[in-house]
Amino acid sequence: MASIARCLRAARPSTLSAFKTPVSRVCPVRAFHATSSNALRKYTKEHEWIDLSADLKTGVIGISEYAAKELGDVVFVELPEEGKQVNAGDAIGAVESVKSAADINAPIACKITGINLLLEEKPATINQVPEDDSHGGGWIAKVQVTEEGVKDLEKLMDPQAYAEFTAAEGEH
Amino acid sequence: MAPFRPSLSLLSRISAPSKVPLFRDATVLAKPVQIYTSPTHDPYLNLAIEQYLLRNCAKSSAVLFLYVNRPCVVIGRNQNPWMEVNLDRRRRGIPSPSSPSKHTRVDLVRRRSGGGTVFHDLGNVNWSVICPSASFDFDRNRHAEMVSRALRRLGVEEARVNDRHDIVVGPSEKETYKVSGSAYKLITGRALHHGTCLLSSPHLPMVSELLRSPAEGYMQSKGVRSVRSPIRNVELGNEEFIDAVIGEFRKMYEGETPVVDVDTEAAVQATWIAEEMETIQTADWKYGQTPQFTFSTHPTEEDPRRRPPLPEDLPPKLRIHLDVRKGIIDLNSSSISGLRSDEGECAVRIGENDLYDVDAKADKKTLYEIVDWGTALSNPLDLQDPLLFNDTRKVSDWLNKMFGIGPSSM
């Protein structure tokens, strides 16, 4: 995600409160979560998240709730290309909202193994449940993590650090 | 970061460092405030230069780029040209204001930023501001306001920014005319905000027809629809507008930065720009990047709207349904039936007998590679059946018109 957080602010006051809630509770009632509850979640400064399997072999990518709020109504999602091998920071797709096409970047080096076709039908899912990696959620891609990708993880933030990061961004 | 490239093999390069740069003196791109103008009216070159500046200027810099394009229709990144543009009219060109019997060529361009469709010509100046997104504490109106101030300084006192981030003029809130539209592209750390400004376009009476597709009533498309607005010229010269925008930009970003007129000969030789220009001129980019859509002559479960009546000379039982993804017709979910006006039960498989089809069993046909629907629909045996032959020709002519297919008159 490009840094929409700081540049496309439609309404600011309410956005920060969202981050006082731990991200893992975005959809607390969903019974069949696609990843286990102790899945490892990391965030980028560009507001993407990645959920990793316990063995760090696979993951799910999406954009953060903070980013989704700042973007406004998402009207189209350019989904990543399946099978594509990418490096950390490579643009893998984009979301369009309010006349803006904003890149989505790969949080780590990985191979795209699946895309969320629901977003083709209902792009607004990104606004409703951006951090939900289950069926019906606003996740963007499923990936296979490469060796390089495991190293890239070190540069990412855990949910706590990301919450502090976005809170600081909002204070400027 | 590498720019996003669409899912096409010819576009899937990851941006390598430019082999040939735009400027020999790389410090130009490092300056904190940069102002560029372009001497070319080539829309592809200007958009490629703009993308180059977005991706190559120093991460902390503020950049202004001003350019004027020859007549063209510019669609947003995620729009459908068959739905937004009268491609048949575009193909034939628009009447020249000075001598209506002559036609002016109009290019179709797909840009990388979001938003809707606009028309450019030599009476329209495009402004573009590139900033760090991290220090860009802006509402989306920041630079539209800058341009609006420039217009007011030139005496267009009623210029103001509306809630769609457009600049409008007009006597009241109820009666406004759009003179400038906005669109944005965001990449890591950088934001591009660009817009048009209608100053003295001689083609305005043609714009409404050009931007109204005859196929619209039959189509349902994913992606982004344009919002239609009445437009007007502000009746200013290009040079005075450009000077005023530069003045306002300098006020905002402080400094007597010199204006650099981009050397277009160097630009077309700069590796990154040359590649970008080539990419955005391909049919795969202009048409192949279209979000999924359907074209159906009759109401369907997914799209139950009433359809505009079909021309009376078409076979009465004609039914056409096309399912198009990335500009490619999925033949398994598309159908054409009722081609014969006397019996009605004549279904064809699109491209079944198409001499240009390498694989007769192909289940896909690229819509934007059809050069005549007659070839895609007709069977050599039709020649022995004059009625079917005639009916197929009428249907083909109608489809050609709907999809803007035919020889370019330019």
Side-chain angles (χ1 to χ4, degrees):
Chain A
M1 194 80 259
S3 307
I4 6 87
R6 297 288 296 147
C7 57
L8 294 182
R9 203 173 317 273
R12 167 183 294 203
S14 62
T15 53
L16 292 178
S17 59
F19 295 91
K20 291 175 183 140
T21 317
V23 202
S24 57
R25 280 173 31 202
V26 164
C27 54
V29 290
R30 215 174 270 274
F32 299 101
H33 218 262
T35 50
S36 74
S37 58
N38 36 7
L40 182 61
R41 172 164 292 197
K42 295 279 191 182
Y43 290 86
T44 68
K45 281 183 181 169
E46 280 77 41
H47 309 286
E48 293 95 6
W49 53 262
I50 180 164
D51 276 351
L52 292 133
S53 61
D55 61 5
L56 301 184
K57 295 245 166 77
T58 60
V60 184
I61 293 174
I63 67 166
S64 75
E65 192 159 331
Y66 180 84
K69 278 211 169 112
E70 297 290 344
L71 272 172
D73 293 341
V74 173
V75 290
F76 189 74
V77 181
E78 288 168 49
L79 288 166
E81 184 185 348
E82 272 180 278
K84 199 172 181 180
Q85 197 99 35
V86 291
N87 292 317
D90 283 358
I92 54 171
V95 286
E96 177 158 349
S97 63
V98 204
K99 305 183 179 186
S100 313
D103 282 353
I104 306 162
N105 305 312
I108 59 170
C110 57
K111 183 183 175 184
I112 311 289
T113 56
I115 52 177
N116 187 0
L117 291 172
L118 173 72
L119 299 178
E120 264 185 9
E121 300 297 323
K122 293 179 180 163
T125 309
I126 291 240
N127 294 109
Q128 293 146 9
V129 278
E131 302 206 14
D132 182 348
D133 66 1
S134 68
H135 181 74
W139 59 277
I140 288 165
K142 295 199 165 146
V143 301
Q144 203 170 54
V145 181
T146 62
E147 258 176 59
E148 193 61 34
V150 176
K151 286 182 211 156
D152 292 331
L153 284 171
E154 287 167 24
K155 296 166 208 151
L156 304 186
M157 292 175 273
D158 62 25
Q160 174 74 30
Y162 179 70
E164 285 163 15
F165 169 73
T166 50
E169 268 211 335
E171 276 164 17
H172 281 283
Chain B
M1 58 140 274
F4 171 60
R5 290 284 171 253
S7 49
L8 290 162
S9 56
L10 83 151
L11 304 177
S12 64
R13 75 192 154 87
I14 302 286
S15 98
S18 302
K19 285 168 200 143
V20 180
L22 174 57
F23 301 110
R24 280 205 190 127
D25 174 10
T27 60
V28 176
L29 295 166
K31 290 182 178 164
V33 182
Q34 302 167 39
I35 301 173
Y36 300 95
T37 53
S38 170
T40 180
H41 297 150
D42 179 337
Y44 307 105
L45 180 52
N46 281 328
L47 283 178
I49 292 169
E50 189 179 54
Q51 284 294 312
Y52 179 88
L53 295 173
L54 172 63
R55 288 160 201 282
N56 291 282
C57 291
K59 290 286 177 200
S60 58
S61 60
V63 182
L64 174 68
F65 178 46
L66 295 149
Y67 55 97
V68 174
N69 288 334
R70 64 176 184 246
C72 57
V73 171
V74 185
I75 62 172
R77 171 66 184 84
N78 298 306
Q79 290 203 290
N80 180 335
W82 292 285
M83 188 123 166
E84 299 296 334
V85 185
N86 185 338
L87 293 176
D88 190 56
R89 164 53 70 193
R90 185 207 75 84
R91 175 178 68 78
R92 290 182 285 123
I94 54 175
S96 302
S98 49
S99 58
S101 60
K102 286 188 181 162
H103 280 69
T104 302
R105 172 197 163 94
V106 180
D107 284 276
L108 174 72
V109 181
R110 183 191 293 275
R111 61 176 188 263
R112 290 195 180 271
S113 60
T117 304
V118 289
F119 174 77
H120 292 175
D121 66 12
L122 301 183
N124 172 80
V125 171
N126 301 293
W127 51 270
S128 172
V129 179
I130 301 162
C131 279
S133 49
S135 67
F136 206 39
D137 198 4
F138 103 100
D139 53 84
R140 293 176 196 228
N141 287 344
R142 182 174 164 92
H143 295 106
E145 291 288 2
M146 173 187 88
V147 174
S148 180
R149 282 197 298 278
L151 286 173
R152 288 196 297 270
R153 192 141 67 89
L154 293 169
V156 187
E157 279 157 22
E158 52 194 26
R160 56 196 182 269
V161 179
N162 73 6
D163 54 9
R164 289 189 45 76
H165 320 294
D166 295 330
I167 301 174
V168 297
V169 298
S172 69
E173 281 309 307
K174 280 187 184 156
E175 192 188 350
T176 61
Y177 299 88
K178 178 172 166 179
V179 297
S180 170
S182 282
Y184 311 81
K185 173 70 196 175
L186 304 168
I187 65 171
T188 304
R190 302 289 280 169
L192 164 80
H193 178 187
H194 59 183
T196 54
C197 194
L198 284 167
L199 301 176
S200 61
S201 164
H203 297 108
L204 288 200
M206 289 305 304
V207 173
S208 176
E209 184 195 335
L210 192 58
L211 301 189
R212 196 181 289 275
S213 165
E216 189 181 355
Y218 304 103
M219 289 172 61
Q220 188 179 47
S221 188
K222 300 212 164 62
V224 178
R225 287 309 315 271
S226 299
V227 175
R228 201 170 276 283
S229 317
I231 51 174
R232 175 183 279 182
N233 284 317
V234 291
E235 308 298 346
L236 292 170
N238 289 0
E239 290 310 315
E240 54 182 332
F241 174 77
I242 287 171
D243 288 347
V245 172
I246 289 172
E248 290 299 325
F249 181 79
R250 280 181 175 146
K251 262 191 231 166
M252 265 177 92
Y253 292 98
E254 292 169 4
E256 280 301 308
T257 319
V259 177
V260 176
D261 199 34
V262 175
D263 176 351
T264 48
E265 272 181 39
V268 292
Q269 279 164 26
T271 314
W272 200 99
I273 293 174
E275 286 178 5
E276 173 72 357
M277 255 184 101
E278 194 183 319
T279 298
I280 61 177
Q281 289 186 78
T282 59
D284 286 343
W285 170 255
K286 294 180 181 187
Y287 298 97
Q289 286 292 309
T290 302
Q292 188 265 338
F293 71 94
T294 55
F295 174 95
S296 26
T297 52
H298 293 76
T300 61
E301 210 172 296
E302 292 79 30
D303 181 13
R305 287 174 305 159
R306 281 184 64 180
R307 298 299 197 273
L310 296 174
E312 283 178 6
D313 64 335
L314 294 186
K317 291 190 180 173
L318 177 72
R319 292 182 89 92
I320 301 174
H321 178 79
L322 303 176
D323 179 13
V324 186
R325 288 172 186 272
K326 299 253 163 198
I328 296 167
I329 306 170
D330 182 342
L331 298 183
N332 294 320
S333 50
S334 302
S335 61
I336 296 186
S337 62
L339 259 189
R340 271 184 84 111
S341 53
D342 60 344
E343 50 191 67
E345 288 308 313
C346 180
V348 291
R349 218 174 115 83
I350 304 155
E352 191 174 32
N353 301 293
D354 188 341
L355 297 173
Y356 300 100
D357 254 356
V358 181
D359 183 358
K361 287 180 189 160
D363 58 359
K364 288 174 175 158
K365 178 139 189 81
T366 306
L367 173 59
Y368 55 92
E369 284 175 355
I370 294 177
V371 291
D372 175 11
W373 274 93
T375 321
L377 293 183
S378 55
N379 183 316
L381 295 174
D382 294 353
L383 288 170
Q384 295 160 20
D385 183 345
L387 182 67
L388 179 58
F389 182 82
N390 276 335
D391 287 335
T392 305
R393 190 65 257 169
K394 282 177 195 159
V395 173
S396 303
D397 288 346
W398 183 70
L399 283 172
N400 285 347
K401 193 165 184 240
M402 290 297 106
F403 293 100
I405 294 166
S408 170
S409 57
M410 296 306 129

